[in-house]
C-alpha cells in the first residue's frame, strides 16, 4: 500500500468528533458524546499509533473508554490494533492535553487480541471499519462475557459508529444502542501532526 494512502487514512482518523446535533435533536435517546483520536509520538510503537478516548460532554476528565492503537496495513486493509494499558486515570484528558501522554507506560501495553478494527476505503475518502472477524473481542457486561460487534464509517467530516454486544453461545444481542448509530461531526482536526516520517518505518 502506498504511503499516500496511509497518510490519507491516518489524517482522516485524527481529530475530535462531537454528536452535538444528534443529541440536540433527540436528547431522550442520545447523550452528547465526544470521540478523540490523537496521534501518538512515533517512539511509542516505532511506527504510527493513536490515543483515543470517548467521554460524555459533561465529564471531559472522566472518559468511559480509552485506548492505545497501532496502525498497520495489509493488502488494501488498514488495521487499527487495540491495546490496554495501566494508569488510565493519569491519561484521562490526553485527547485535548497531549502533554499527559508523557505518563504513558509503554511496558504496560497489552494487546487486546481479537479487537482490532479493519478499515477499507469504500469510496474516495470514505472508510468503513468492522471489528476483526472471529467473535473474539470479549467485553464483560452485567457479569457476563459478550463479544463485540463494532461498525464505523468515517470521512473528512463525519464519524458514524455503532457498538453492540452479543451472547457468544446464542448470538443474541445483549447490549448496545436501541436507537441506531451515533452520528458525530468533526470539530477539530489533528492532520497537521501526521507526516510521511510518522507513517514510514525507520531503517534499522
Amino acid at each position: 500500500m502506498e504511503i499516500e494512502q496511509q497518510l490519507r487514512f491516518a489524517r482522516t482518523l485524527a481529530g475530535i468528533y462531537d454528536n452535538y446535533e444528534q443529541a440536540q435533536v433527540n436528547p431522550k435517546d442520545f447523550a452528547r458524546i465526544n470521540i478523540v483520536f490523537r496521534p501518538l509520538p512515533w517512539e511509542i510503537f516505532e511506527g504510527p499509533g493513536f490515543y483515543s478516548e470517548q467521554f460524555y460532554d459533561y465529564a471531559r476528565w472522566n472518559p468511559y473508554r480509552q485506548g492505545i492503537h497501532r496502525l498497520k496495513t495489509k493488502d488494501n486493509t488498514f488495521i487499527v490494533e487495540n491495546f490496554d494499558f495501566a494508569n488510565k486515570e493519569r491519561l484521562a484528558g490526553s485527547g485535548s492535553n497531549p502533554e499527559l501522554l508523557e505518563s504513558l507506560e509503554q511496558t504496560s501495553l497489552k494487546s487486546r487480541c481479537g479487537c482490532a478494527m479493519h478499515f477499507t476505503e469504500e469510496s474516495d475518502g470514505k472508510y468503513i471499519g468492522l471489528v476483526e472477524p472471529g467473535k473474539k473481542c470479549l467485553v464483560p457486561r452485567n457479569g457476563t462475557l459478550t463479544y463485540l460487534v463494532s461498525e464505523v464509517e468515517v470521512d473528512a467530516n463525519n464519524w458514524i459508529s455503532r457498538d453492540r454486544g452479543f451472547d457468544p453461545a446464542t448470538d443474541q444481542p445483549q447490549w448496545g444502542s436501541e436507537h441506531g448509530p451515533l452520528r458525530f461531526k468533526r470539530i477539530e482536526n489533528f492532520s497537521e501532526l501526521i507526516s510521511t516520517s510518522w507513517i514510514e518505518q525507520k531503517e534499522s
Side-chain angles (χ1 to χ4, degrees), residues 18-47:
D18 188 334
N19 73 332
Y20 171 79
E21 293 181 12
Q22 183 181 49
Q24 284 289 104
V25 171
N26 194 353
K28 177 175 173 289
D29 295 330
F30 295 99
R32 186 178 175 187
I33 295 170
N34 281 202
I35 295 177
V36 183
F37 258 77
R38 175 172 285 279
L40 286 170
W42 189 93
E43 290 73 22
I44 299 296
F45 287 116
E46 296 191 343

Side-chain angles (χ1 to χ4, degrees), residues 4-72:
E4 284 303 316
Q5 292 174 287
Q6 297 176 52
L7 280 170
R8 185 168 62 167
F9 173 69
R11 288 169 176 164
T12 300
L13 279 188
I16 301 179
Y17 307 82
D18 188 334
N19 73 332
Y20 171 79
E21 293 181 12
Q22 183 181 49
Q24 284 289 104
V25 171
N26 194 353
K28 177 175 173 289
D29 295 330
F30 295 99
R32 186 178 175 187
I33 295 170
N34 281 202
I35 295 177
V36 183
F37 258 77
R38 175 172 285 279
L40 286 170
W42 189 93
E43 290 73 22
I44 299 296
F45 287 116
E46 296 191 343
F50 290 92
Y51 167 78
S52 73
E53 60 185 13
Q54 296 183 30
F55 53 84
Y56 295 110
D57 191 67
Y58 60 80
R60 291 177 173 268
W61 292 95
N62 187 27
Y64 63 83
R65 182 180 298 173
Q66 294 169 270
I68 298 292
H69 312 277
R70 179 165 54 192
L71 176 58
K72 291 188 170 183

